[in-house]
Amino acid sequence: MWKDGATHRSGFARRMSTHLAAALVAFCLLQIFIVAKMGGSLLLHLGIVVAIGGFAIAARGLEHRWDILDQSGLPAHGLAVRFRRDLLQLWVASIGGGLLWIPVAIIFRAIFG
């Protein structure tokens, strides 16, 4: 019916998009919670904005990659292997990136009080 790419997304691209949205929310909430608990300053809050922007740009790139892979005609098994690998990397980066604020906040507090 429609000729734009958004309506022709099949299983893997649509699932990756859903995981990207959930990972972005988890990344944001984890960062905000950690910085708030560590007594973050304005500088740390600005760092959160930059980190979230960077994560969103990377997520858009991954979403675009899966739009291309979904239309490439690769066999389902090959796509499934790539999907699981990318999914693991996405969630490790999302949770690990959020947890990186713990040492940053500790060092920031030690330097600036």
Side-chain angles (χ1 to χ4, degrees), residues 17-33 48 52 55-56 59 90-91 94-95 98:
S17 182
T18 302
H19 279 281
L20 283 166
L24 181 59
V25 169
F27 181 74
C28 294
L29 291 177
L30 189 58
Q31 285 189 3
I32 291 168
F33 176 76
I48 289 175
I52 291 170
F55 189 91
L90 169 68
W91 283 104
S94 177
I95 294 170

Side-chain angles (χ1 to χ4, degrees), residues 72-88:
S72 68
L74 290 172
H77 175 69
L79 287 174
V81 170
R82 287 176 175 85
F83 181 80
R84 284 190 302 271
R85 185 194 63 218
D86 283 355
L87 204 58
L88 178 65

Side-chain angles (χ1 to χ4, degrees), residues 2-113:
W2 298 98
K3 296 297 180 194
D4 62 347
T7 57
H8 287 94
R9 302 175 89 186
S10 63
F12 287 110
R14 187 174 302 142
R15 287 173 51 202
M16 183 56 72
S17 182
T18 302
H19 279 281
L20 283 166
L24 181 59
V25 169
F27 181 74
C28 294
L29 291 177
L30 189 58
Q31 285 189 3
I32 291 168
F33 176 76
I34 289 172
V35 170
K37 287 294 182 186
M38 300 296 285
S41 69
L42 179 62
L43 186 59
L44 289 176
H45 284 88
L46 290 174
I48 289 175
V49 171
V50 171
I52 291 170
F55 189 91
I57 290 169
R60 181 61 191 128
L62 186 59
E63 188 175 33
H64 180 67
R65 176 185 190 284
W66 274 97
D67 284 339
I68 292 170
L69 280 174
D70 232 6
Q71 297 171 1
S72 68
L74 290 172
H77 175 69
L79 287 174
V81 170
R82 287 176 175 85
F83 181 80
R84 284 190 302 271
R85 185 194 63 218
D86 283 355
L87 204 58
L88 178 65
Q89 291 173 349
L90 169 68
W91 283 104
V92 166
S94 177
I95 294 170
L99 293 177
L100 284 176
W101 282 104
I102 294 173
V104 169
I106 291 170
I107 292 168
F108 187 83
R109 187 184 302 173
I111 293 173
F112 298 108

